[in-house]
């Protein structure tokens, strides 16, 4: 009997750097379900990984890490025309897309079905921003750069608390960000706190951030938070924490489109793609419908 082959891309330092303790469990699950696990330890840059995957010819790929690790995997697969379904083991500080798909913290069931060839499959839209793919979020403005300023040791020790502490420091330094946005045949000009262009409704460890968001509708959703006073910002945060969403909030602009062009008055505004440093504005963002197949339950 020919065994299925599963390539595992794992980030050894994501989350609390504990994924190495799961390797044996994942190997066992694959063997018990008729598959061979082939691990690849990722680095910041992985130039040899495309050739590795072509040589191995796996039946599927699993990305193990946080949102940044999944971002790397998605960008690599699509840019190199490697047509393989992908799964997620969320082991990072933030695991938004895994949570959205309902596979976070369901390791045994999920990996077992992938290995056995009985996992479901879902075609998912992907975003394209200035030459890079992203799977869940493209953003800029206040707080979006916090993950890059929190070192790995702090993230591994304090998890999300490290992000929140970094955010408090940023608030005192931030000024309104004037933006011009073209979408759906309209032009919007706003002084903003931040914006996020999202694929799913799970962002920044919050769920259900807005209504009617789907990863398979061929569209992306822009949520722009207008510049407002601290009390109003706290109210938005409370709504997010309570799972009530902010899509219809007074100081939030919600736009659906398959293409956005976003420019700032300054050419030094940096974006964030899935928790990784992205290109500077202006940003042209488009949706690529059904670009990747994801393993699901």
């Amino acid at each position: 009997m020919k065994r299925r082959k599963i390539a595992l891309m794992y980030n050894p330092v994501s989350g609390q750097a504990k994924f190495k303790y799961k390797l044996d469990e994942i190997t066992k699950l694959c063997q018990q379900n008729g598959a061979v696990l082939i691990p690849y330890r990722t680095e910041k840059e992985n130039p040899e990984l495309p050739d590795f995957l072509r040589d191995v010819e796996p039946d599927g790929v699993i990305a193990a890490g946080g949102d940044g690790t999944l971002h790397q995997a998605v960008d690599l697969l699509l840019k190199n025309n490697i047509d393989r379904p992908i799964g997620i083991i969320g082991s990072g500080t933030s695991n938004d897309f895994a949570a959205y798909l309902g596979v976070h913290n369901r390791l045994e069931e999920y990996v077992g079905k992938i290995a056995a060839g009985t996992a479901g499959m879902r075609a998912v839209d992907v975003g394209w921003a200035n030459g890079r793919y992203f799977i869940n979020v493209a953003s800029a403005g206040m707080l979006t750069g916090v993950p890059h300023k929190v070192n790995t040791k702090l993230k591994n020790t304090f998890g999300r608390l490290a992000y929140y502490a970094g955010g408090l420091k940023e608030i005192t330094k931030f000024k309104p960000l004037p933006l011009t946005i073209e979408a759906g045949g309209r032009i919007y000009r706003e002084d903003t706190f931040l914006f996020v262009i999202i694929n799913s409704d799970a962002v920044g460890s919050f769920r259900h951030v807005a209504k009617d968001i789907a990863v398979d509708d061929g569209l992306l959703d822009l949520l722009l938070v207008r510049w407002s006073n601290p009390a109003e910002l706290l109210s938005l945060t409370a709504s997010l924490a309570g799972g009530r969403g902010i899509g219809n909030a007074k100081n939030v602009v919600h736009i659906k489109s398959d293409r956005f062009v976003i420019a700032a008055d300054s050419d030094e505004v940096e974006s964030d793609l899935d928790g990784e440093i992205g290109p500077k504005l202006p940003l042209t963002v488009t949706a690529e419908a059904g670009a990747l197949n994801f393993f699901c339950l």
Side-chain angles (χ1 to χ4, degrees):
M1 179 185 71
K2 183 179 179 182
R3 289 184 173 269
R4 289 170 53 81
K5 292 185 289 186
I6 305 299
L8 173 70
M9 297 172 50
Y10 75 94
N11 183 341
V13 299
S14 67
Q16 296 183 331
K18 292 182 178 179
F19 180 75
K20 53 184 173 290
Y21 302 116
K22 294 182 180 179
L23 268 175
D24 183 66
E25 180 183 0
I26 294 167
T27 302
K28 180 181 177 182
L29 285 168
C30 285
Q31 290 176 187
Q32 287 177 334
N33 288 278
V36 177
L37 184 72
I38 307 169
Y40 189 99
R41 185 182 188 275
T42 64
E43 306 283 349
K44 188 173 182 179
E45 302 291 337
N46 300 279
E48 297 180 357
L49 186 48
D51 287 338
F52 170 84
L53 292 174
R54 291 188 186 98
D55 290 343
V56 169
E57 294 185 339
D59 296 281
V61 176
I62 297 176
D67 294 325
T69 303
L70 180 60
H71 169 80
Q72 281 190 336
V74 167
D75 191 57
L76 181 143
L77 290 176
L78 289 172
K79 281 184 176 176
N80 290 277
N81 298 311
I82 298 173
D83 186 13
R84 292 291 184 274
I86 185 170
I88 317 166
I89 296 175
S91 61
T93 306
S94 180
N95 306 289
D96 291 328
F97 205 71
Y100 174 82
L101 291 180
V103 301
H104 192 40
N105 296 326
R106 299 176 71 179
L107 179 68
E108 184 173 350
E109 179 185 7
Y110 187 52
V111 174
K113 287 187 174 182
I114 291 173
T118 59
M121 204 78 72
R122 186 172 184 180
V124 167
D125 305 334
V126 170
W128 172 259
N130 288 21
R132 282 172 58 182
Y133 290 100
F134 66 93
I135 187 61
N136 199 46
V137 59
S139 62
M142 177 63 198
L143 303 180
T144 61
V146 169
H148 316 308
K149 298 174 184 178
V150 177
N151 68 42
T152 300
K153 185 176 180 180
L154 279 176
K155 286 194 287 185
N156 288 345
T157 303
F158 297 107
R160 291 174 189 157
L161 286 176
Y163 289 163
Y164 299 148
L168 291 174
K169 291 180 181 178
E170 289 295 300
I171 287 175
T172 61
K173 299 182 289 184
F174 196 72
K175 296 179 180 179
L177 176 62
L179 292 179
T180 300
I181 299 169
E182 298 179 39
R186 292 184 59 186
I187 295 177
Y188 305 78
R189 292 184 176 89
E190 299 282 353
D191 283 345
T192 68
F193 185 68
L194 61 85
F195 76 84
V196 292
I197 296 174
I198 52 180
N199 195 20
S200 81
D201 68 1
V203 182
S205 300
F206 295 113
R207 293 297 312 275
H208 312 302
V209 298
K211 293 181 179 179
D212 302 321
I213 294 178
V215 297
D216 52 6
D217 60 358
L219 300 172
L220 297 169
D221 289 72
L222 182 142
L223 296 175
L224 179 148
V225 180
R226 294 187 179 103
W227 185 253
S228 48
N229 64 51
E232 290 170 322
L233 292 175
L234 284 173
S235 176
L236 290 177
T237 303
S239 293
L240 287 171
R244 295 186 294 276
I246 60 171
N248 295 318
K250 179 181 70 171
N251 288 313
V252 174
V253 179
H254 183 183
I255 308 166
K256 283 182 175 290
S257 182
D258 60 359
R259 186 176 186 271
F260 299 90
V261 179
I262 304 170
D265 287 356
S266 168
D267 58 2
E268 293 302 313
V269 178
E270 201 169 64
S271 70
D272 175 286
L273 302 181
D274 294 328
E276 299 291 301
I277 295 174
K280 291 180 179 179
L281 273 60
L283 210 59
T284 299
V285 180
T286 57
E288 298 203 3
L292 270 181
N293 286 316
F294 271 78
F295 291 118
C296 58
L297 290 172

